[in-house]
Amino acid sequence: MILRMSSMFLRTLREDPADAEVPSHKLLVRAGYIRRTAPGIYTWLPLGLRVLRNVERIVREEMDAIGAQELVFPALLPREPYEATGRWTEYGPNIFRLKDRKGADMLLGPTHEEMFTLVVKELYSSYKDLPLSIYQIQNKYRDEARPRAGVLRGREFVMKDSYSFDIDDDGLAVSYELHRKAYINIFDRLGFDYVIVKAMSGAMGGSRSEEFLAIAENGEDTFVRSPGGYAANVEAVVVPQAEAVDASAVPAAEVVDTPDTPTIDTLVDAMNAKHARSDGRAWTASDTLKNVLVMLVHPDGSREPLAIGVPGDRAIDEKRLGAQLEPAEVAAFEESDFEKHPSLAKGYIGPGVLGAENSSGIRYLLDPRIAEGSAWVTGADKPGFHVMDLVHGRDFTADGTIQAAEVRDGDPAPDGSGPLESARGIEMGHIFQLGRKYAEALDLKVLDQNGKLVTVTMGSYGVGVTRAVAAIAEGNHDELGLVWPREIAPADVHLVATGKDSEVFTKAAEIAAELESRGLSVMYDDREKVSPGVKFKDAELIGVPTIAVVGKGLVDGTIEVKDRRTGERADIPVAEVVDHLVATVRS
Amino acid sequence: MILRMSSMFLRTLREDPADAEVPSHKLLVRAGYIRRTAPGIYTWLPLGLRVLRNVERIVREEMDAIGAQELVFPALLPREPYEATGRWTEYGPNIFRLKDRKGADMLLGPTHEEMFTLVVKELYSSYKDLPLSIYQIQNKYRDEARPRAGVLRGREFVMKDSYSFDIDDDGLAVSYELHRKAYINIFDRLGFDYVIVKAMSGAMGGSRSEEFLAIAENGEDTFVRSPGGYAANVEAVVVPQAEAVDASAVPAAEVVDTPDTPTIDTLVDAMNAKHARSDGRAWTASDTLKNVLVMLVHPDGSREPLAIGVPGDRAIDEKRLGAQLEPAEVAAFEESDFEKHPSLAKGYIGPGVLGAENSSGIRYLLDPRIAEGSAWVTGADKPGFHVMDLVHGRDFTADGTIQAAEVRDGDPAPDGSGPLESARGIEMGHIFQLGRKYAEALDLKVLDQNGKLVTVTMGSYGVGVTRAVAAIAEGNHDELGLVWPREIAPADVHLVATGKDSEVFTKAAEIAAELESRGLSVMYDDREKVSPGVKFKDAELIGVPTIAVVGKGLVDGTIEVKDRRTGERADIPVAEVVDHLVATVRS
């Protein structure tokens, strides 16, 4: 395949698009791979489509290699199956809904759990039919509130989603492991610097769950890892419940006068100034218990207040909090909400009102660091007053715990494998053991060996295909442009003919033809009346891994071959250049 | 590639699906290629997807061969470009519309003229950039009132649509011809029995327009052809205006008493009984002028009455009528509509009320067979009365002509190439010269050689890809099942192992592996505990062109090879069977 730049449907831009913030977005638009059609909705131009197809091919090969079978569902789906599983409601405004001409409710599929479950129910009936893994590579739709960074988070995007079906948990574990290995192969071949982390299963339900994150400064996900090998999406970090401590020596709780101390800092200062500790130590923020109110908005639109107690030195992490509460969304607790709950003294809220035997009627959840028997300085539920020596379990209780406090660098890994360190990543793949949630909702049962109907257990496995293109670009560029990994580059060689000498173009065309006959794809810059400088800039921007320049060197019988990534150049004798390029590409 | 039936996600059905009427629909469902998800919306199971991909590959290869470049637009599109061209309204209820979470109007693309036009406008600016042909193979959406026959007329379907862009009409003619040749290659390779016919350009506007129709009894389109080579979709047949005749000898028009003659038959009888012709000939239906009223419903919902005059022996063809009036839809003229037009005497309507100087205010169009100077028996606009010797041009005029009367076998071809004969077909491809309609609406201009801005002229070219699978099935089956043309079959060879002898399965597995290593795809029926009868039935139903049976013959050292289409069988020595099969597939 020869792509001639003189006729290719391609225009590179020297300026960054106004709406682009991250490098991959800027470069994919500037180099002519994608174009924006609507917010979060993109057109794949010929160059971009070539890269996208390469990613699809790699994903397909690895899925086929584990015996998964490809099919394709419609993108436009009827409401009923999504109603049966509750997702029609749970997805809230995040799915595109529409009515057909007869008034029937339909949606654009965000993921296809329901459809996969139903098709297996229609075709299969016995344990002998299992295990089964089926997949599709297809357009998905999510009406993101904040589509972002080009195709990194779009509203129409391509995903590979696969599902495994097994008769029992052991089978599911095997299917999961097969997909895990396939994913490792996929992300290795895509040239990612990635990490596999424990993940939340989110709105999907299920048990074991891992994400493949491409490590990237601009990633939306934060993950933590320890020297001992622990790795988790920060949303999925489970801080263990602190062990109970002996509270027998703690004096009785005492209300103390702390005027104008609505914040933890002002509280700590006031306590140190006016209410010295018996042991002489200074009060710190970690001695205080901060109670935060939020408002949950459920998918059906109903609102529920929630109180969360965390040590005063620790903020609430909105993403961790959100992940715990899905499918509800978390909104601010407004002034008007305070008015509806007059027992809440803003800035001085304490477990007296929130605790289990409280008067507020608000659910109250504690950070797991709040040990049974531990004593706290916290709000006394009246303006200007706090209470000290308030002991958890003795003086107050709560409705449960929640993993919502921030995770900080240096925090111990939950498995004891050392201090955590955080970094950012882009979620490229997600594998998880769905279990029987969808099979139960849609009644997918098969006969087991004893002739008894049993519910099938499922695994769910996704790869963001369009997102992968952006994530690869995010991890493979320099100040001049893109630098594609070889297996997904839009061409094997970028051949540039420079100068006005017709001999140059004749020789270059000859080389292009020879490379094509050897099975290579060639991007051939055959444009006349375009300066060498512009051609070089375009080649750097487009990012084919190997650039060959037919130009000035030709009089000395050489052609310059440049490695796009390292910048290394070599003058290769004309007679050897085809062999040299083929060897380079195949190496 | 070996597809093992023991693990393949496939279940064949012995019964026809209840909602299927045409053979292709029944067989594609029964043989496990597709499954219905919602009305007009289908899932492509693994076998079906293999066939679909083969069709896509052929289309892609032929498009690439004429230098067309592939890209892909989103399916979910913003309203604005479709508003600019008027199609947002014109499509009426035939497109899926939706709103996103911010209330923006969007649609699921029915075709992408607007997007193609805009992307060229964004990237190109000079005549030097042209000609250009770009295409996509992509999901399209139409909210058909009557989705039909499985994937033959679906609401979500795959189409290849391409567009050519040229600086002038001569360029467009060249681009059109290139596509026409590519389409001939495509439909030849797809194994169609097809005909190229003149076509209407419909809601698209434009000039030269041809359809590729697969000849099929169950086709929705009717076409006519003549021995001399004329061929047209019946909608596109243009009957020439009959030449004026001399009316000087025709007596003055005379109102005649014709009680109880609201139909042409009763009128002809009454005329022959009561009002003999001066020349003694009997009156026939062809002497009468029938005036038919319909109601046009415009895309904006407004209603407009329309009267059509045709010779009494000729019916109105609803599809021809509809094609002339697009984007308006044609509805019945109801009793309540008559009430609003009291001057219309139902059953006795004539040009007296409808004609140009009429009192009804209704537009009146005549069949082109109504020559200037010809005399007619027609309604006298009062119940029980007709008028005879009413001469077109002398006694009445109309607002124009319309191509709405039926075309009958034996009618002369418009080009004089002999009598027409009709048949039915499935529209597989449509090529037409769009001209400047979209370029004007969206302001696509480039600089010409003189530095002057000129509007680009476009061609539009579509192939129904999912429809092609159904149409091929429609044309390639017998009472036992499907019979795929070789290039699009889901596998090259269907290898059946029969019996309980493990040696049979060992040998069959060996042959499958050898065929695979020779580059063939093999559907291998390795199922144990399934009877030979069931396996043979499945093989016939699935329709791989070559079936090889490893079974009883093995003791004599032979394997039976059967041609699915002809039914021819041959016993091939085991040692030769792989070579034989490879040669058969490659022949």
Side-chain angles (χ1 to χ4, degrees):
Chain A
M1 165 75 84
I2 300 175
L3 306 168
R4 284 179 184 78
M5 286 189 71
S6 60
S7 58
M8 187 145 187
F9 189 55
L10 167 70
R11 285 294 175 272
T12 57
L13 308 173
R14 293 287 163 254
E15 302 290 322
D16 287 332
D19 64 336
E21 285 166 14
V22 304
S24 62
H25 185 189
K26 291 176 188 170
L27 291 170
L28 288 171
V29 172
R30 279 186 46 205
Y33 286 77
I34 60 172
R35 277 192 91 83
R36 182 179 175 281
T37 300
I41 297 179
Y42 283 79
T43 297
W44 290 81
L45 296 174
L47 264 193
L49 189 58
R50 292 180 64 83
V51 172
L52 184 63
R53 293 276 184 262
N54 285 336
V55 173
E56 285 182 9
R57 179 178 45 74
I58 290 171
V59 171
R60 184 171 283 124
E61 285 171 4
E62 296 299 335
M63 293 311 299
D64 290 346
I66 62 165
Q69 299 179 57
E70 189 176 4
L71 43 65
V72 62
F73 287 102
L76 180 62
L77 298 170
R79 169 179 176 161
E80 292 71 22
Y82 287 78
E83 187 72 48
T85 60
R87 293 212 300 165
W88 175 264
T89 309
E90 277 173 21
Y91 261 108
N94 294 309
I95 50 171
F96 290 99
R97 296 179 175 79
L98 66 158
K99 283 185 190 290
D100 73 5
R101 64 192 293 153
K102 292 181 178 163
D105 279 317
M106 307 196 77
L107 72 153
L108 298 179
T111 55
H112 281 66
E113 281 78 355
E114 286 81 354
M115 309 319 295
F116 277 94
T117 308
L118 285 174
V119 77
V120 174
K121 180 179 171 178
E122 286 173 19
L123 265 65
Y124 278 2
S125 58
S126 161
Y127 74 97
K128 291 180 202 160
D129 298 328
L130 304 181
L132 169 72
S133 285
I134 45 183
Y135 75 100
Q136 63 175 347
I137 297 177
Q138 190 224 27
N139 267 1
K140 297 270 187 287
Y141 295 87
R142 286 192 204 161
D143 199 358
E144 297 281 354
R146 284 169 293 278
R148 184 180 163 269
V151 293
L152 207 51
R153 177 177 288 278
R155 298 198 294 167
E156 172 175 305
F157 54 97
V158 178
M159 229 181 108
K160 185 286 295 177
D161 50 337
S162 48
Y163 297 86
S164 63
F165 297 84
D166 282 278
I167 190 77
D168 56 26
D169 293 351
D170 289 350
L172 172 56
V174 172
S175 296
Y176 184 90
E177 206 49 51
L178 277 173
H179 274 87
R180 196 175 191 277
K181 283 184 186 146
Y183 275 39
I184 289 171
N185 290 343
I186 288 169
F187 295 114
D188 284 350
R189 289 178 66 184
L190 292 180
F192 276 121
D193 182 14
Y194 68 95
V195 55
I196 306 175
V197 302
K198 290 187 209 311
M200 297 288 293
S201 49
M204 305 291 179
S207 51
R208 190 173 171 199
S209 172
E210 289 170 292
E211 281 168 357
F212 290 71
L213 298 182
I215 297 169
E217 275 174 42
N218 290 306
E220 286 192 303
D221 283 270
T222 304
F223 67 94
V224 289
R225 35 184 181 179
S226 74
Y230 176 88
N233 190 308
V234 75
E235 297 174 7
V237 172
V238 179
V239 175
Q241 178 61 48
E243 280 185 33
V245 293
D246 178 14
S248 57
V250 180
E254 180 190 346
V255 172
V256 292
D257 185 13
T258 52
D260 298 324
T261 57
T263 64
I264 295 297
D265 284 352
T266 52
L267 171 61
V268 169
D269 289 347
M271 290 297 291
N272 282 324
K274 295 176 60 180
H275 306 283
R277 282 167 80 140
S278 48
D279 62 4
R281 283 195 295 130
W283 296 104
T284 67
S286 63
D287 298 315
T288 68
L289 169 61
K290 177 165 64 178
N291 296 297
V292 178
L293 281 152
V294 295
M295 187 60 79
L296 303 190
V297 183
H298 293 286
D300 64 5
S302 66
R303 297 166 70 87
E304 182 200 349
L306 176 68
I308 300 152
V310 293
D313 63 336
R314 222 167 255 273
I316 291 205
D317 179 323
E318 282 184 25
K319 289 180 96 174
R320 276 172 59 74
L321 176 64
Q324 300 294 327
L325 298 171
E326 278 184 10
E329 292 194 357
V330 178
F333 197 84
E334 309 278 358
E335 208 54 54
S336 58
D337 296 317
F338 276 106
E339 283 166 20
K340 284 179 210 145
H341 292 89
S343 64
L344 299 176
K346 195 175 172 188
Y348 303 89
I349 300 166
V353 164
L354 297 172
E357 296 159 54
N358 69 46
S359 56
S360 68
I362 294 173
R363 191 149 60 107
Y364 183 39
L365 302 174
L366 292 178
D367 185 74
R369 293 173 185 83
I370 316 289
E372 188 91 3
S374 60
W376 301 89
V377 177
T378 186
D381 298 308
K382 51 183 176 178
F385 292 89
H386 283 85
V387 56
M388 54 189 277
D389 292 328
L390 197 74
V391 173
H392 180 211
R394 183 187 77 179
D395 302 322
F396 74 99
T397 58
D399 300 306
T401 59
I402 186 165
Q403 298 284 340
E406 63 180 331
V407 175
R408 291 194 296 232
D409 280 18
D411 279 353
D415 64 356
S417 60
L420 295 174
E421 193 175 29
S422 67
R424 298 183 73 83
I426 299 166
E427 183 190 337
M428 290 313 314
H430 193 177
I431 54 177
F432 53 97
Q433 301 189 356
L434 263 186
R436 296 181 175 80
K437 174 178 163 165
Y438 288 91
E440 269 162 14
L442 297 165
D443 199 32
L444 168 57
K445 292 190 168 112
V446 296
L447 291 170
D448 71 5
Q449 278 184 291
N450 308 314
K452 218 184 76 182
L453 276 174
V454 295
T455 303
V456 167
T457 184
M458 293 165 59
S460 164
Y461 318 91
V463 172
V465 175
T466 39
R467 173 179 287 183
V469 175
I472 295 164
E474 198 61 35
N476 294 275
H477 68 269
D478 58 22
E479 67 285 359
L480 299 173
L482 297 159
V483 188
W484 294 108
R486 196 164 287 289
E487 210 177 347
I488 61 154
D492 293 318
V493 174
H494 192 127
L495 185 68
V496 180
T498 66
K500 291 172 184 168
D501 195 343
S502 73
E503 204 189 319
V504 162
F505 286 88
T506 310
K507 192 71 210 168
E510 227 178 272
I511 294 170
E514 278 185 64
L515 291 171
E516 184 188 32
S517 75
R518 298 280 291 270
L520 266 53
S521 60
V522 184
M523 181 121 189
Y524 170 33
D525 197 341
D526 61 338
R527 291 176 294 175
E528 294 173 9
K529 299 182 190 169
V530 171
S531 76
V534 168
K535 290 184 176 184
F536 296 148
K537 274 209 174 95
D538 278 344
E540 306 280 7
L541 180 60
I542 289 167
V544 172
T546 300
I547 301 169
V549 181
V550 185
K552 284 184 300 193
L554 205 55
V555 293
D556 308 320
T558 65
I559 284 166
E560 185 185 277
V561 175
K562 180 178 168 184
D563 183 280
R564 171 67 185 89
R565 190 175 296 271
T566 63
E568 275 171 48
R569 294 157 194 270
D571 287 325
I572 309 295
V574 173
E576 293 166 26
V577 76
V578 169
D579 284 342
H580 176 86
L581 289 170
V582 170
T584 303
V585 167
R586 303 251 158 89
S587 69
Chain B
M1 164 75 84
I2 302 176
L3 306 167
R4 286 180 183 76
M5 285 189 71
S6 60
S7 58
M8 188 146 186
F9 189 56
L10 168 69
R11 286 293 175 271
T12 57
L13 307 173
R14 293 287 163 253
E15 303 288 323
D16 287 332
D19 63 335
E21 284 166 16
V22 304
S24 63
H25 186 190
K26 291 176 187 171
L27 290 171
L28 288 171
V29 172
R30 279 186 48 204
Y33 285 77
I34 59 171
R35 277 193 89 82
R36 182 179 175 281
T37 299
I41 298 178
Y42 283 78
T43 297
W44 290 81
L45 296 174
L47 264 193
L49 189 58
R50 292 179 65 82
V51 172
L52 184 63
R53 293 277 185 259
N54 285 337
V55 173
E56 285 181 8
R57 178 179 45 75
I58 290 171
V59 171
R60 184 171 283 124
E61 285 170 4
E62 297 298 337
M63 293 311 298
D64 290 346
I66 61 165
Q69 300 180 56
E70 188 176 4
L71 42 65
V72 62
F73 288 102
L76 180 62
L77 298 171
R79 168 178 175 161
E80 292 70 21
Y82 287 78
E83 188 71 48
T85 59
R87 294 213 298 165
W88 175 264
T89 309
E90 277 174 20
Y91 261 107
N94 294 310
I95 52 171
F96 289 100
R97 296 179 174 80
L98 65 159
K99 282 184 190 292
D100 74 4
R101 65 193 292 154
K102 292 182 176 163
D105 279 316
M106 307 196 78
L107 71 154
L108 298 179
T111 54
H112 282 66
E113 279 79 355
E114 286 81 354
M115 309 318 294
F116 277 94
T117 308
L118 285 174
V119 78
V120 174
K121 180 179 171 178
E122 287 173 19
L123 265 66
Y124 277 2
S125 58
S126 162
Y127 74 96
K128 291 180 201 158
D129 299 328
L130 304 181
L132 170 71
S133 285
I134 44 183
Y135 75 100
Q136 62 174 349
I137 298 177
Q138 190 226 25
N139 267 1
K140 297 270 186 290
Y141 295 86
R142 285 190 205 162
D143 198 358
E144 297 280 354
R146 284 169 293 277
R148 185 181 163 267
V151 292
L152 207 51
R153 177 178 288 278
R155 297 198 295 167
E156 172 176 305
F157 54 96
V158 178
M159 228 180 109
K160 185 286 296 177
D161 51 336
S162 48
Y163 297 86
S164 63
F165 298 84
D166 282 280
I167 190 76
D168 56 27
D169 293 351
D170 289 349
L172 171 56
V174 172
S175 295
Y176 184 89
E177 207 48 50
L178 278 173
H179 274 87
R180 196 174 191 277
K181 283 186 185 140
Y183 276 39
I184 289 171
N185 290 343
I186 289 169
F187 295 114
D188 284 349
R189 289 177 66 185
L190 292 179
F192 277 121
D193 182 14
Y194 69 94
V195 55
I196 306 175
V197 302
K198 288 187 209 312
M200 297 287 292
S201 50
M204 305 291 181
S207 51
R208 191 174 171 198
S209 171
E210 290 170 290
E211 281 169 356
F212 290 71
L213 298 181
I215 298 170
E217 276 174 42
N218 290 306
E220 285 191 302
D221 283 88
T222 304
F223 66 94
V224 290
R225 34 184 181 178
S226 74
Y230 176 87
N233 191 308
V234 75
E235 296 174 6
V237 172
V238 178
V239 175
Q241 177 62 48
E243 279 185 35
V245 294
D246 178 14
S248 57
V250 181
E254 180 190 350
V255 172
V256 291
D257 184 14
T258 52
D260 298 325
T261 56
T263 64
I264 295 297
D265 283 351
T266 52
L267 171 61
V268 170
D269 289 348
M271 289 297 289
N272 281 324
K274 295 176 61 180
H275 305 284
R277 281 168 82 139
S278 49
D279 62 4
R281 282 195 296 129
W283 296 104
T284 67
S286 63
D287 298 315
T288 69
L289 169 61
K290 177 165 65 177
N291 295 297
V292 178
L293 282 152
V294 296
M295 187 60 80
L296 302 191
V297 183
H298 292 287
D300 65 4
S302 66
R303 297 164 71 86
E304 181 201 348
L306 176 68
I308 300 153
V310 293
D313 63 336
R314 221 167 257 272
I316 291 204
D317 179 323
E318 283 184 24
K319 290 181 95 173
R320 277 172 59 75
L321 176 64
Q324 299 295 327
L325 298 170
E326 278 184 8
E329 292 195 355
V330 178
F333 197 83
E334 309 278 357
E335 206 56 52
S336 58
D337 295 317
F338 276 106
E339 284 165 21
K340 284 178 211 147
H341 293 88
S343 64
L344 299 176
K346 196 176 170 187
Y348 302 90
I349 301 166
V353 164
L354 297 172
E357 295 157 56
N358 68 47
S359 55
S360 68
I362 294 172
R363 191 152 58 110
Y364 182 40
L365 302 175
L366 292 178
D367 185 75
R369 293 174 185 84
I370 316 289
E372 188 92 3
S374 60
W376 301 88
V377 177
T378 187
D381 297 309
K382 53 183 176 178
F385 291 89
H386 281 84
V387 56
M388 55 190 275
D389 292 326
L390 197 75
V391 173
H392 180 209
R394 183 187 77 179
D395 302 323
F396 74 98
T397 57
D399 300 306
T401 58
I402 185 166
Q403 298 284 340
E406 63 181 330
V407 175
R408 291 195 296 233
D409 279 19
D411 279 353
D415 65 354
S417 61
L420 294 175
E421 192 174 31
S422 67
R424 296 182 74 83
I426 299 167
E427 183 190 337
M428 290 313 315
H430 192 176
I431 55 177
F432 52 96
Q433 300 189 358
L434 262 186
R436 297 182 175 79
K437 175 179 163 164
Y438 288 92
E440 269 162 14
L442 297 164
D443 199 32
L444 167 57
K445 293 193 168 104
V446 297
L447 292 170
D448 72 5
Q449 278 183 289
N450 307 315
K452 217 184 75 182
L453 275 175
V454 294
T455 302
V456 168
T457 184
M458 294 166 57
S460 164
Y461 317 91
V463 172
V465 175
T466 39
R467 172 179 288 183
V469 175
I472 295 164
E474 198 62 34
N476 294 275
H477 69 268
D478 58 22
E479 67 283 1
L480 299 173
L482 297 159
V483 188
W484 294 109
R486 195 164 287 290
E487 209 178 346
I488 62 153
D492 293 317
V493 174
H494 192 127
L495 185 69
V496 181
T498 65
K500 291 171 184 168
D501 194 343
S502 73
E503 205 189 317
V504 162
F505 286 88
T506 309
K507 191 71 209 166
E510 226 178 272
I511 293 170
E514 278 185 66
L515 290 171
E516 184 187 32
S517 74
R518 298 280 292 270
L520 266 53
S521 60
V522 184
M523 181 122 191
Y524 170 33
D525 197 341
D526 60 339
R527 290 177 294 176
E528 295 174 8
K529 299 182 189 168
V530 171
S531 76
V534 167
K535 290 185 175 182
F536 296 148
K537 275 211 174 93
D538 278 345
E540 306 279 9
L541 180 60
I542 289 167
V544 171
T546 301
I547 301 170
V549 182
V550 186
K552 284 184 301 193
L554 204 57
V555 293
D556 307 321
T558 65
I559 284 165
E560 186 184 279
V561 175
K562 181 178 167 184
D563 182 278
R564 172 68 186 87
R565 191 176 293 270
T566 62
E568 275 171 47
R569 294 156 195 269
D571 287 325
I572 308 295
V574 174
E576 294 166 24
V577 77
V578 169
D579 284 342
H580 177 86
L581 289 170
V582 170
T584 303
V585 167
R586 303 252 158 90
S587 69

